[in-house]
Amino acid sequence: MQKVLILVFFSTLIACTTQGKLEYITSNGERKVGCETEYSGAPSIDKYAVEYVLSYCAKNAEKQGHQVIDKHLLTLDLSIPKTPSGDSWSFEYATELHKLEHLTDKEYGYIIAFIDLSLNKSNNQLK
C-alpha cells in the first residue's frame, strides 16, 4: 500500500509540472538541446512561463547563427506590459495584480519568466 501512495504522490507532482527545452542546429549541423526549463504549481500559468523562456532562448540562439527547430518560438511577442506604478516588476506585485484579475494568465506567466531571467533588472520592459 505504501508503494501505491508513493507512486500516486509522484504522479501528482509530475502532472503539475510544465517542462520544455529548446532544440537547435549549429552552423556545423550538430543538433543540440539548450534552455531546459520547468515550472510547477499552476499549469494554466506555467505553460506561458515555459513558452516565454524557450522563445527568449530561441531568439538568442538565432542571433548566434543557430537554426531553431521550433520556428513558432521565433514568432512570439515577448513584450511585457509596464507596471501601473511605473516601477520594475516583482513577483509579489505581479501576483497581486493577477489575483485582482488585472493580468491574464499569459501576461502573468510571461512576467514570471521575465523576472526569473532577471530581465526586470535591466530596462527591457516593452509595450
Side-chain angles (χ1 to χ4, degrees):
M1 184 66 169
Q2 185 179 9
K3 289 181 181 179
V4 172
L5 289 175
I6 291 171
L7 181 62
V8 169
F9 174 74
F10 282 110
S11 296
T12 304
L13 286 178
I14 292 169
C16 293
T17 300
T18 305
Q19 302 174 347
K21 61 185 176 183
L22 175 68
E23 294 184 69
Y24 62 92
I25 299 172
T26 67
S27 57
N28 297 334
E30 185 179 355
R31 189 179 189 117
K32 291 201 171 194
V33 174
C35 290
E36 293 185 59
T37 189
E38 179 178 302
Y39 284 86
S40 59
S44 63
I45 296 162
D46 298 340
K47 67 182 179 182
Y48 293 116
V50 168
E51 179 180 84
Y52 187 95
V53 170
L54 295 180
S55 179
Y56 179 82
C57 289
K59 290 175 182 191
N60 284 328
E62 185 182 54
K63 285 178 188 173
Q64 295 174 12
H66 304 303
Q67 180 184 2
V68 175
I69 303 297
D70 184 354
K71 302 282 187 215
H72 169 71
L73 294 171
L74 300 170
T75 66
L76 298 176
D77 178 6
L78 300 183
S79 298
I80 299 297
K82 291 186 180 220
T83 62
S85 66
D87 295 327
S88 294
W89 281 108
S90 70
F91 177 76
E92 294 78 13
Y93 189 51
T95 300
E96 178 185 332
L97 290 180
H98 183 254
K99 284 180 182 176
L100 293 171
E101 298 183 0
H102 294 159
L103 294 172
T104 65
D105 286 351
K106 182 176 182 175
E107 289 171 324
Y108 182 54
Y110 273 28
I111 291 166
I112 295 307
F114 179 80
I115 293 168
D116 286 347
L117 291 169
S118 297
L119 299 175
N120 62 324
K121 305 276 189 251
S122 61
N123 202 5
N124 287 335
Q125 294 190 53
L126 307 172
K127 201 172 180 184

